[in-house]
Structure formats: C-alpha cells, structure tokens
C-alpha cells in the first residue's frame, strides 16, 4: 500500500465519514455498497490496506493493555458494539479486523436470545456482566440493542416498555463511558439483495450449513420493520460519548478494513502512553550486569 494513499485518506478521519448524522435517520439514506475513505481502488488493494494497519493497531492495543495493568485506577478500555442483520458479517469482522490484535487483550461476548436466568433479570444485567475490564478491548457480537431491535420487531415486550429503553440505553452508556470505557457502535449495513446472495451461498455449501438458521428467513421477511427499528436506535442513541457508525457491508473487504480503521482511530484518540517503569531502570541494569 502506497504511503501517500494512506495519508491522503487519513486527512478525513473515517469516523467522520461513517458517523450517523444527528437528526432523523432513514436506512434508505445509507448505501450498503459504498466504500468511503478506502485508501485504494478496489478489493485488490484490501489485503495491503488491512496489513498496513496491523502494526499500529497492535502497538496501540498493547499500550492500552499495559496502561491498564500499571494503573488500574485510571485504566481505560474500549467497547466495540457490532450490530447488523444476519449475514452482515459480525463474525467476519471479528475474525479479520479484531483478529489483527493480540487475542489476550480482547474480551469477546456474543449475545443470543436470553436464557431463562437472564430473562429473570433486567435486560442490562447480562450486558453489565460482559463489559470489558480495564485495559481490554471488548467486542459485543450483538448487544443491548437487541432489546430495541428484535424485541421491538417481535413485540417481545409491550411498546410501552421498549419505547422507554432508548433513554435508558443512553443513560447506561453514559455511565459506562464515565467509568473509562470508550464506546464505538457499528451497524454493519448489508443490503436486502446481498443478504439473499449470502443466505443462498450458505445453503449451497455444506461447510456453511452451520451458519444457516431457518429463523434467519423469518427476520428477513420482516426486513422493513427491522430497518425501522435500526433507524430508531441510530437516531435516538447516537450520542457523542457513544456514537453510531454505519459501516457499508455489502463488500466484505471494505467492511473489515473500515472496522479495523475505526478501532485504530479510537485507540489512537485515547492517547495512552507506555507506562513508566515503577523501578529504577539504571539500578536494575547494574544488577543484571552483575548477575551475569
Ligand atoms: P446469531 O447472532 O446469529 O447467533 O443469533 C443470535 C440470535 O439471538 C438472533 O436471532 C438475535 O435476534 C437473538 N437475540 C439476541 N439478543 C436477544 C434479545 N435480547 N432478545 C431476543 N433475542 C435476542
Ligand atoms: Mg445467525
């Protein structure tokens, strides 16, 4: 990847290009096949684009981790929330973008339909338990947003209940941010047509059967209701401390690069320094030399 291309693209941060604007949101306003900010021409340039992020990403992640280890009281952490319709590529992003950093610094949690134990609690109970600890990058594969997405579309609780949740989510995220966690929310935006192609591919390939869930077709049948629910979540929970980004997801190579770059920008923005030695470096050098 040519250096100049990278620095040119970096002049407008990807976070500004993908941030959901404030005001009314309609999913029709977002192009799932777009590639804003990509520092290359097309898919052929994608491996190099991703590769060029790797060393900075691992360096930044290690700093965050080291800082968390050395100063637990002021430890920072990052929470990446991944939401999207089936086949939008939450798993692919975790493998190809998050996979660029040391797995020891990553806390991954996938949220499925709540268990009986979880259902007996407030819906944020299981979310709080999964928040990243100091120095860690937390990844939510689905999240508290399911409680205003599938729950709203499927009327799993009455409207009077889910409609209160947007404010509750904002308050919750404000609390999480205040405790030192930087929140990055990514909606992986796959088109209706591309989802069909991906579901077909799953049915045509025995090595992909495991990814296919007959229930996915039920959600697909309610696509407009899901888009409305996404738009509401993106509109009502798009605060500066917990912003929403819409990641065009029809091109897997762009999607993976975009999330990796957003993570890089986020980590760089934390401006975390390597911890200072809490011992006398010169004296230790002398001791080591003496120890031979
Ligand atoms: P997957 O991510 O494909 O493994 O699917 C997980 C399933 O769990 C999806 O169908 C989600 O809609 C469902 N799910 C996740 N969170 C909730 C929730 N809070 N309430 C109901 N269903 C949920
Ligand atoms: Mg699925």
């Amino acid at each position: 990847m040519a250096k100049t291309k990278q620095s040119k693209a970096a002049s407008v941060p990807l976070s500004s290009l993908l941030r959901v604007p404030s005001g009314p949101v309609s999913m029709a306003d977002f192009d799932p096949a777009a590639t804003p900010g990509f520092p290359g021409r097309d898919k052929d340039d994608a491996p190099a684009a991703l590769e060029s992020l790797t060393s900075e990403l691992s360096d930044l992640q290690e700093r965050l981790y080291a800082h968390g280890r050395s100063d637990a009281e002021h430890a920072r952490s990052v929470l990446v929330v991944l939401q999207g319709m089936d086949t939008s590529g939450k798993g692919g992003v975790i493998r190809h973008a998050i996979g660029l950093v040391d797995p020891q610094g990553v806390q991954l949690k996938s949220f499925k339909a709540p268990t009986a134990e979880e259902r007996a609690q407030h819906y944020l109970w299981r979310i709080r338990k999964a928040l990243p600890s100091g120095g860690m990058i937390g990844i939510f594969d689905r999240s508290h947003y399911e409680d205003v997405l599938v729950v709203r579309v499927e009327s799993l609780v009455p409207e009077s209940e889910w409609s209160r949740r947007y404010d509750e989510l904002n308050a919750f995220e404000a609390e999480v941010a205040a405790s030192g966690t930087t929140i990055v929310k990514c909606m992986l935006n796959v088109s209706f047509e591309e989802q069909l192609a991906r579901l077909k591919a799953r049915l045509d390939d025995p090595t992909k059967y495991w990814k296919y869930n007959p229930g996915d077709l039920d959600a697909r049948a309610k696509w407009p209701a899901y888009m409305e629910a996404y738009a509401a979540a993106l509109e009502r929970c798009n605060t500066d401390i917990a912003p929403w980004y819409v990641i065009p997801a029809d091109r897997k190579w762009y999607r993976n690069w975009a999330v990796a770059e957003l993570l890089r920008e986020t980590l760089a923005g934390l401006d975390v320094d390597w911890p200072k030695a809490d011992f006398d470096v010169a004296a230790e050098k002398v001791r080591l030399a003496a120890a031979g």
Side-chain angles (χ1 to χ4, degrees), residues 201-231:
R202 288 181 179 183
L203 287 178
D204 285 342
D205 178 353
T207 71
K208 289 185 175 166
Y209 290 168
W210 67 275
K211 290 191 189 183
Y212 187 85
N213 175 352
D216 294 351
L217 284 191
D218 303 330
R220 178 171 171 78
K222 296 180 178 168
W223 190 275
Y226 271 101
M227 292 306 110
E228 222 174 274
Y230 267 106

Side-chain angles (χ1 to χ4, degrees), residues 86 90 111-114 126 141-142 146-147 150-151 156:
D86 294 300
K90 299 180 289 291
F111 292 98
K112 310 291 179 190
R126 64 178 187 161
D141 169 357
R142 301 188 191 269
E146 291 294 327
D147 294 288
V150 64
V151 167
L156 301 181

